[in-house]
Amino acid sequence: TLCIISTCYNEELNVEECYAVIKKIMLENNINYEHIFSDNCSTDNTVKILENICKNDSNVKLLVNSKNYGPFLNNFNALKFTNAKFVLINYASDMQDPPEVIIKMYNKIIEDGGREAIFAVKKTTTDNFVLKNLRRLFYYILKKCSDTYLPMHANEFILVRKELNDVLIKSQDFFPYIRGYIGRLTNNHDCVYFDRLNRNHGKSSLLSVC
């Protein structure tokens, strides 16, 4: 019913916890799911940890890039390996997005019937002054330069229906901007709001500031 994509790069301190937390909330809510980890050629023990998880849990799949393709293409490629009714585009392995929000998104897309996408939108973050203003600048430029709908402070933490994902993965763009595609493909969407958390371990990539 539900596929959750988790991208990762050198997340050996986070992936096991990410797996366990997702499994727990899926079982608690009786949701038939698969969890796909898409690894961007990690150089630490991330892949080894995930391989061991896959051996013991058939709900988990692992994709490993032969080289680092960057976060956007890594995420986009993973979308081609699911046929689930609903697809969570990216629940990042660093778990800065509260996993409970997934259930709110899932319930909302079911209750709203025909909604094609649910955006998870950050109300607050723990980012410093520089990162906060980089985000504001990013969304200001996007709004000025494009008529594509995109909620401010939304990233790839988006739940979509299979039909929308099927259209999305047909793109031939070498640098796919997934959230922008979704905003351009449909106006039939809604949002849930949440407070973003600190990373438990490691550091965020500069490419994730928006």
Side-chain angles (χ1 to χ4, degrees):
T1 304
L2 174 63
C3 174
I4 299 170
I5 308 291
S6 288
T7 56
C8 50
Y9 173 70
N10 288 350
E11 293 284 0
E12 63 181 4
L13 299 177
N14 291 309
V15 289
E16 194 162 15
E17 182 180 4
C18 178
Y19 154 72
V21 168
I22 292 297
K23 181 174 183 177
K24 180 175 183 291
I25 65 170
M26 292 297 107
L27 292 176
E28 288 176 346
N29 289 275
N30 196 30
I31 297 174
N32 180 23
Y33 80 105
E34 64 178 0
H35 194 176
I36 300 178
F37 285 89
S38 187
D39 182 82
N40 209 10
C41 197
S42 291
T43 57
D44 63 1
N45 289 318
T46 299
V47 172
K48 184 176 181 180
I49 293 169
L50 290 172
E51 285 176 339
N52 288 332
I53 290 172
C54 289
K55 290 177 182 177
N56 295 292
D57 192 336
S58 60
N59 288 331
V60 184
K61 298 177 181 178
L62 172 61
L63 307 174
V64 182
N65 292 336
S66 59
K67 65 178 182 179
N68 191 316
Y69 287 99
F72 295 108
L73 194 55
N74 179 38
N75 191 181
F76 181 79
N77 286 339
L79 301 177
K80 302 173 184 178
F81 289 88
T82 181
N83 198 39
K85 185 175 181 180
F86 303 102
V87 181
L88 186 68
I89 300 293
N90 187 15
Y91 180 73
S93 300
D94 60 20
M95 297 180 62
Q96 285 188 269
D97 301 327
E100 297 81 10
V101 179
I102 298 173
I103 303 302
K104 294 181 180 179
M105 299 167 76
Y106 181 76
N107 288 337
K108 196 172 191 67
I109 203 168
I110 292 176
E111 292 165 2
D112 286 353
R115 293 292 186 193
E116 292 184 287
I118 304 294
F119 290 89
V121 180
K122 298 181 288 291
K123 291 190 297 183
T124 61
T125 73
T126 56
D127 294 331
N128 60 37
F129 176 81
V130 174
L131 287 181
K132 285 181 180 179
N133 282 283
L134 281 173
R135 279 200 174 92
R136 291 192 183 104
L137 177 62
F138 169 80
Y139 286 104
Y140 174 80
I141 294 173
L142 183 68
K143 186 175 181 179
K144 289 294 183 181
C145 298
S146 172
D147 58 359
T148 295
Y149 171 81
L150 185 63
M152 183 171 287
H153 303 309
N155 54 21
E156 272 65 35
F157 191 20
I158 309 167
L159 182 65
V160 300
R161 290 183 178 271
K162 176 185 183 300
E163 294 80 4
L164 188 59
N165 187 60
D166 288 345
V167 176
L168 181 66
I169 61 177
K170 292 178 181 178
S171 169
Q172 300 298 315
D173 195 339
F174 183 74
F175 193 74
Y177 182 52
I178 299 173
R179 72 190 93 158
Y181 286 170
I182 294 171
R184 189 164 66 241
L185 287 170
T186 182
N187 291 318
N188 188 9
H189 46 67
D190 206 340
C191 299
V192 298
Y193 298 88
F194 69 97
D195 295 314
R196 203 170 205 205
L197 308 173
N198 284 318
R199 282 177 62 101
N200 289 330
H201 309 286
K203 296 181 180 180
S204 295
S205 165
L206 180 61
L207 289 171
S208 68
V209 298
C210 293

